[in-house]
Amino acid sequence: MRKDPLLRFVLILFAGFLFFCALYFAKSILIPLSFSALLSMLILPLCKKLEHWKFPRWLAILSCFLVAIIIIGAFVTLFIFQVISFTDNLPMYKELINSKIGHIQRFLEGLIKVSPKDQTAFMKEKMSGFMSNGGEYIKVAFVETTGTFATIGIVFICTFFFLYFRDRFKNFILKIANPIYEEKTRMIITASSKVAARYLSGVFIVIIILSVLNSVGLMIIGLDNAIFFGISVAILNIIPYIGVPIGAVLPVVMALITRESLWSAVGVIAVFSFNQFIENNFLTPNIVGNKVNINPLATIIVLLIGGNLWGVSGMIIFLPFLGVLKITLDHVKPLNPYAYLISTDETETSILSRIKSLFNRKK
């Protein structure tokens, strides 16, 4: 293999293909385990703090679970109430949509010379398949929802045992590693755990702040169900670059339906654009930090891979795992070029850092 670079490249390519095949076909097992690993990294600092205060390990873990459930439960409960409020207004929105469709049909009649009756018949024909399979869609949605709750239970159980047996996992990694690199291996384990914990806790804080900013901005515009849309778009911000544009589509459409002026829709776009600017340049660099400083190209590639292999779960999970991988690459000298390839210069991560550098330069 050393004498034949082509053979080495082919074998590496084949190994990579097998690796991604394994990720795809084992996703039903790996997705809950991955969420459990990330959640355990998130809870670990608080768990260690409680153990330092003489809590038994099992009690410290359960106490962390209780805190997490209270915080996440309050957030989810608020969101559910907003969803209920939104669904209660659907009949009103239906009338507004029918009114808007009437205007559009009359416009199309003058443009393409097709009567509203023919347009309605065409729409009914296209919708008939969806309506006839509506029961099947509801059944699939119910099964998916039930599966989600079962997965959440598995995630919490696995997280408990990941935290409870964490010393065993750490010793296992140290045993299989070369004894010469034991100190470096310990550094990698500690750094990876810290970066994952800071990343996940920071993301959650940013979601809360964005939920408030989005909701307040939409309330100022006067959009109905502003809190519902504000929280929805903030949650989708987990998916870099594309989450916010996708989430903004529905509130923009609702602004077009419920308001006569186009300026309401423009205002919605302006609110999300401004908040996205604040998040990219001030919130994320200072709350999440620059430890997961992955460049945009690597981020997009990881999102594409994660989305194709594990769907939305992959788009959420793969990025923090890439950050953990980068920590490993940074600490292993032969792999430093790969860390450099996927990273970005910390001084270029935000406008705030540039302002700080200019201020320090003037000093």
Side-chain angles (χ1 to χ4, degrees), residues 80-318:
I80 289 174
F81 278 119
Q82 294 303 313
V83 172
I84 294 172
S85 175
F86 177 71
T87 55
D88 289 340
N89 292 329
L90 284 179
M92 179 187 68
Y93 295 146
K94 183 179 179 181
E95 294 178 5
L96 292 171
I97 291 172
N98 290 334
S99 174
K100 296 288 184 180
I101 289 175
H103 291 300
I104 294 172
Q105 285 180 334
R106 286 191 291 272
F107 171 76
L108 291 176
E109 182 182 12
L111 185 66
I112 60 177
K113 308 303 180 185
V114 178
S115 67
K117 184 178 179 181
D118 292 336
Q119 295 176 34
T120 304
F122 176 78
M123 293 177 63
K124 285 182 177 179
E125 180 184 349
K126 293 300 180 182
M127 290 294 292
S128 61
F130 175 80
M131 298 304 293
S132 61
N133 295 323
E136 189 65 27
Y137 294 144
I138 294 172
K139 186 187 297 183
V140 171
F142 177 77
V143 172
E144 291 292 333
T145 304
T146 306
T148 300
F149 282 113
T151 302
I152 291 173
I154 294 172
V155 166
F156 274 101
I157 292 173
C158 292
T159 301
F160 177 87
F161 288 113
F162 277 156
L163 290 169
Y164 192 79
F165 294 115
R166 63 177 184 268
D167 293 335
R168 188 175 294 271
F169 293 126
K170 182 177 180 180
N171 292 332
F172 168 75
I173 295 174
L174 292 173
K175 285 179 180 294
I176 63 176
N178 193 323
I180 300 175
Y181 304 110
E182 179 177 343
E183 188 62 31
K184 183 166 285 189
T185 304
R186 290 181 184 274
M187 288 175 56
I188 293 173
I189 295 172
T190 303
S192 300
S193 176
K194 286 182 178 178
V195 71
R198 182 171 182 182
Y199 173 80
L200 293 172
S201 59
V203 165
F204 187 71
I205 293 171
V206 168
I207 287 175
I208 294 176
I209 295 174
L210 278 180
S211 298
V212 175
L213 292 177
N214 291 340
S215 301
V216 170
L218 296 178
M219 285 178 180
I220 293 173
I221 294 172
L223 187 69
D224 296 336
N225 302 108
I227 298 177
F228 167 71
F229 293 125
I231 295 176
S232 300
V233 176
I235 293 173
L236 286 173
N237 188 66
I238 295 174
I239 305 174
Y241 303 110
I242 62 173
V244 172
I246 291 173
V249 171
L250 183 57
V252 170
V253 171
M254 294 306 299
L256 291 172
I257 292 172
T258 58
R259 295 287 182 271
E260 295 296 331
S261 174
L262 291 175
W263 288 109
S264 296
V266 174
V268 172
I269 296 173
V271 166
F272 290 131
S273 299
F274 177 77
N275 290 341
Q276 189 69 12
F277 173 82
I278 296 296
E279 184 270 331
N280 288 335
N281 295 288
F282 295 93
L283 296 180
T284 295
N286 291 279
I287 296 176
V288 179
N290 293 325
K291 296 297 183 182
V292 191
N293 56 336
I294 309 299
N295 65 57
L297 178 60
T299 301
I300 292 172
I301 292 174
V302 166
L303 290 176
L304 290 173
I305 294 173
N308 280 278
L309 291 178
W310 291 359
V312 177
S313 298
M315 298 177 78
I316 297 172
I317 293 173
F318 275 41

